[in-house]
Short mmCIF file of all heavy atoms in Angstrom, two decimals:
data_model
loop_
_atom_site.label_atom_id
_atom_site.label_comp_id
_atom_site.label_asym_id
_atom_site.label_seq_id
_atom_site.Cartn_x
_atom_site.Cartn_y
_atom_site.Cartn_z
N TYR A 954 93.61 90.27 114.17
CA TYR A 954 92.62 90.94 115.04
C TYR A 954 93.34 91.92 115.93
O TYR A 954 94.31 91.54 116.61
CB TYR A 954 91.91 89.95 115.96
CG TYR A 954 90.94 90.49 116.87
CD1 TYR A 954 89.79 91.18 116.47
CD2 TYR A 954 91.14 90.37 118.25
CE1 TYR A 954 88.94 91.65 117.35
CE2 TYR A 954 90.24 90.87 119.18
CZ TYR A 954 89.12 91.57 118.76
OH TYR A 954 88.23 92.09 119.63
N GLU A 955 93.03 93.22 115.76
CA GLU A 955 93.70 94.30 116.49
C GLU A 955 92.65 95.18 117.06
O GLU A 955 92.43 96.29 116.51
CB GLU A 955 94.71 95.04 115.59
CG GLU A 955 95.77 94.27 115.02
CD GLU A 955 96.90 93.94 115.99
OE1 GLU A 955 96.83 94.46 117.14
OE2 GLU A 955 97.81 93.17 115.60
N PRO A 956 92.13 94.87 118.23
CA PRO A 956 90.99 95.66 118.75
C PRO A 956 91.34 97.10 119.27
O PRO A 956 92.41 97.25 119.90
CB PRO A 956 90.38 94.84 119.86
CG PRO A 956 91.55 93.98 120.31
CD PRO A 956 92.36 93.78 119.02
N GLY A 957 90.64 98.14 118.86
CA GLY A 957 90.67 99.45 119.44
C GLY A 957 91.92 100.23 119.22
O GLY A 957 92.36 101.06 120.06
N LEU A 958 92.55 100.05 118.09
CA LEU A 958 93.74 100.83 117.82
C LEU A 958 93.32 102.19 117.31
O LEU A 958 92.41 102.40 116.62
CB LEU A 958 94.59 100.16 116.73
CG LEU A 958 95.21 98.78 117.02
CD1 LEU A 958 96.09 98.30 115.79
CD2 LEU A 958 96.01 98.81 118.31
N ASN A 959 94.21 103.16 117.76
CA ASN A 959 94.09 104.47 117.20
C ASN A 959 95.14 104.69 116.08
O ASN A 959 95.95 103.85 115.91
CB ASN A 959 94.14 105.54 118.34
CG ASN A 959 95.42 105.55 119.03
OD1 ASN A 959 96.49 105.43 118.52
ND2 ASN A 959 95.41 105.82 120.43
N ALA A 960 95.13 105.88 115.46
CA ALA A 960 96.05 106.10 114.39
C ALA A 960 97.56 105.98 114.85
O ALA A 960 98.36 105.43 114.10
CB ALA A 960 95.82 107.45 113.80
N ARG A 961 97.82 106.50 116.01
CA ARG A 961 99.33 106.38 116.48
C ARG A 961 99.66 104.93 116.70
O ARG A 961 100.73 104.48 116.38
CB ARG A 961 99.47 107.17 117.79
CG ARG A 961 100.83 107.16 118.29
CD ARG A 961 101.04 107.74 119.78
NE ARG A 961 100.15 107.14 120.66
CZ ARG A 961 100.32 105.96 121.31
NH1 ARG A 961 101.37 105.26 121.00
NH2 ARG A 961 99.47 105.44 122.15
N GLN A 962 98.72 104.14 117.28
CA GLN A 962 99.03 102.72 117.52
C GLN A 962 99.18 101.95 116.23
O GLN A 962 100.04 101.07 116.16
CB GLN A 962 97.89 102.16 118.40
CG GLN A 962 97.94 102.65 119.74
CD GLN A 962 96.69 102.23 120.54
OE1 GLN A 962 95.53 102.37 120.05
NE2 GLN A 962 96.93 101.78 121.85
N VAL A 963 98.45 102.31 115.22
CA VAL A 963 98.60 101.63 113.87
C VAL A 963 99.97 102.01 113.35
O VAL A 963 100.69 101.15 112.83
CB VAL A 963 97.44 102.06 112.95
CG1 VAL A 963 97.77 101.54 111.48
CG2 VAL A 963 96.16 101.48 113.42
N ARG A 964 100.41 103.31 113.43
CA ARG A 964 101.69 103.65 112.97
C ARG A 964 102.85 102.97 113.70
O ARG A 964 103.80 102.51 113.11
CB ARG A 964 101.87 105.22 113.06
CG ARG A 964 101.21 106.02 112.02
CD ARG A 964 101.62 107.46 112.02
NE ARG A 964 101.45 108.11 113.32
CZ ARG A 964 100.33 108.66 113.67
NH1 ARG A 964 99.25 108.71 112.88
NH2 ARG A 964 100.29 109.30 114.85
N ASP A 965 102.67 102.80 115.02
CA ASP A 965 103.60 102.12 115.81
C ASP A 965 103.69 100.62 115.42
O ASP A 965 104.79 99.97 115.42
CB ASP A 965 103.36 102.21 117.32
CG ASP A 965 103.58 103.56 117.90
OD1 ASP A 965 104.09 104.47 117.24
OD2 ASP A 965 103.06 103.85 119.00
N LEU A 966 102.61 99.98 115.15
CA LEU A 966 102.46 98.60 114.75
C LEU A 966 103.27 98.46 113.42
O LEU A 966 103.99 97.50 113.30
CB LEU A 966 100.97 98.16 114.65
CG LEU A 966 100.78 96.79 114.04
CD1 LEU A 966 101.37 95.69 114.94
CD2 LEU A 966 99.31 96.60 113.76
N VAL A 967 103.00 99.32 112.53
CA VAL A 967 103.63 99.26 111.14
C VAL A 967 105.14 99.42 111.38
O VAL A 967 105.96 98.67 110.73
CB VAL A 967 103.06 100.24 110.16
CG1 VAL A 967 103.97 100.45 108.99
CG2 VAL A 967 101.66 99.89 109.89
N ALA A 968 105.57 100.33 112.14
CA ALA A 968 107.03 100.60 112.40
C ALA A 968 107.65 99.30 113.05
O ALA A 968 108.76 98.83 112.66
CB ALA A 968 107.26 101.81 113.27
N ARG A 969 106.97 98.71 114.02
CA ARG A 969 107.49 97.44 114.63
C ARG A 969 107.56 96.30 113.59
O ARG A 969 108.61 95.60 113.64
CB ARG A 969 106.53 97.10 115.80
CG ARG A 969 107.09 95.96 116.66
CD ARG A 969 106.18 95.79 117.86
NE ARG A 969 105.01 95.04 117.51
CZ ARG A 969 103.72 95.44 117.76
NH1 ARG A 969 103.48 96.57 118.39
NH2 ARG A 969 102.67 94.71 117.40
N ILE A 970 106.57 96.24 112.76
CA ILE A 970 106.60 95.18 111.75
C ILE A 970 107.73 95.41 110.71
O ILE A 970 108.41 94.49 110.32
CB ILE A 970 105.23 95.12 111.03
CG1 ILE A 970 104.21 94.54 111.99
CG2 ILE A 970 105.27 94.25 109.75
CD1 ILE A 970 102.80 94.64 111.55
N GLN A 971 107.94 96.67 110.30
CA GLN A 971 108.94 96.95 109.37
C GLN A 971 110.37 96.73 109.89
O GLN A 971 111.25 96.16 109.26
CB GLN A 971 108.84 98.37 108.88
CG GLN A 971 107.67 98.56 107.95
CD GLN A 971 107.47 100.01 107.62
OE1 GLN A 971 107.81 100.95 108.25
NE2 GLN A 971 106.73 100.22 106.46
N THR A 972 110.58 97.05 111.20
CA THR A 972 111.85 96.75 111.91
C THR A 972 112.02 95.23 112.01
O THR A 972 113.05 94.74 111.76
CB THR A 972 111.80 97.31 113.28
OG1 THR A 972 111.71 98.77 113.15
CG2 THR A 972 113.14 96.97 114.03
N GLY A 973 110.93 94.51 112.32
CA GLY A 973 111.08 92.99 112.42
C GLY A 973 111.25 92.35 111.03
O GLY A 973 112.09 91.40 110.94
N ALA A 974 110.70 92.88 109.95
CA ALA A 974 110.91 92.39 108.59
C ALA A 974 112.44 92.54 108.26
O ALA A 974 113.01 91.66 107.62
CB ALA A 974 110.01 93.12 107.59
N ASP A 975 112.98 93.62 108.57
CA ASP A 975 114.46 93.95 108.35
C ASP A 975 115.27 92.87 109.05
O ASP A 975 116.17 92.31 108.48
CB ASP A 975 114.84 95.29 108.77
CG ASP A 975 114.26 96.38 107.91
OD1 ASP A 975 113.78 96.08 106.75
OD2 ASP A 975 114.28 97.57 108.30
N GLU A 976 114.90 92.53 110.31
CA GLU A 976 115.61 91.58 111.14
C GLU A 976 115.45 90.20 110.50
O GLU A 976 116.48 89.44 110.42
CB GLU A 976 115.09 91.55 112.56
CG GLU A 976 115.68 90.51 113.46
CD GLU A 976 117.14 90.84 113.76
OE1 GLU A 976 117.66 92.05 113.64
OE2 GLU A 976 117.87 89.89 114.30
#
Side-chain angles (χ1 to χ4, degrees):
Y954 178 65
E955 297 286 353
L958 296 184
N959 61 39
R961 182 190 54 78
Q962 290 169 314
V963 172
R964 285 191 303 273
D965 291 348
L966 173 64
V967 169
R969 190 172 77 234
I970 290 168
Q971 289 173 336
T972 299
D975 291 343
E976 177 70 18

